[in-house]
Amino acid sequence: MQQNNGAHIYSSVSKHGILTPRQHGFWPGFSCETQLVSCINDWAKSMDRDFRTDIVIFDFSKAFDSVPHCRLFSKLSICGTVQNWHRLFLSDRYQSSGKWYGAQSSWLPVLSGVPQGTVLGPLLFLIYINDIVLGIDSQIRLFADECTV
């Protein structure tokens, strides 16, 4: 069931052009190579025009674990059953740090993060960071949780 929903959502996101074309991670037809080629092309054009070219590379620490569910839900413009399915997919999750010398830690609710190793986790992360390109007056390229400006 998750793969069918994941394929449906990927199709819908693609059809409606929801994600920025500057995102190269977790997206069909894009890869770290397409991001690298785009970056090198941007830099070469800038240098050919004698523009000062500075490069800043960000790698968001624990990016997938730190997506607040309430902000993600506000960014999801998907209505009805699909939006409710996202809420069910992310809600009522609990985690424990495991056992240490035979003692089990308490189970606590997971209030942020998208599940890794799932079809929807990466897509939900991309939707969450999609607006990072807004308001930046420079070339910006994304690959999953990495950003090159």
Side-chain angles (χ1 to χ4, degrees):
M1 181 173 162
Q2 183 181 351
Q3 280 189 326
N4 292 340
N5 285 326
H8 174 73
I9 292 169
Y10 268 92
S11 174
S12 180
V13 166
S14 181
K15 176 182 172 183
H16 297 291
I18 292 172
L19 288 184
T20 176
R22 296 173 186 231
Q23 177 60 259
H24 293 256
F26 308 119
W27 203 243
F30 291 91
S31 65
C32 58
E33 289 88 1
T34 61
Q35 183 207 26
L36 181 59
V37 168
S38 296
C39 287
I40 291 172
N41 186 49
D42 294 341
W43 303 333
K45 283 182 185 178
S46 180
M47 292 168 61
D48 284 346
R49 295 178 185 145
D50 289 327
F51 292 155
R52 180 177 168 169
T53 305
D54 298 317
I55 302 164
V56 180
I57 301 171
F58 299 97
D59 184 357
F60 304 116
S61 176
K62 299 189 183 280
F64 284 74
D65 295 332
S66 59
V67 175
H69 292 170
C70 58
R71 288 188 190 159
L72 175 61
F73 293 145
S74 72
K75 290 185 177 196
L76 288 169
S77 60
I78 301 166
C79 300
T81 305
V82 176
Q83 188 174 25
N84 289 335
W85 191 86
H86 282 100
R87 287 186 187 276
L88 290 172
F89 178 69
L90 293 173
S91 299
D92 295 324
R93 290 180 177 265
Y94 291 83
Q95 69 181 13
S96 166
S97 61
K99 290 185 178 183
W100 182 257
Y101 291 107
Q104 174 76 37
S105 68
S106 301
W107 287 91
L108 299 172
V110 177
L111 304 175
S112 65
V114 292
Q116 296 179 46
T118 64
V119 174
L120 284 179
L123 179 60
L124 292 173
F125 176 77
L126 296 184
I127 291 170
Y128 178 71
I129 66 162
N130 191 55
D131 59 359
I132 195 171
V133 302
L134 302 176
I136 296 180
D137 188 25
S138 182
Q139 291 295 329
I140 182 171
R141 302 291 175 189
L142 304 166
F143 184 80
D145 63 343
E146 297 171 356
C147 175
T148 303
V149 181

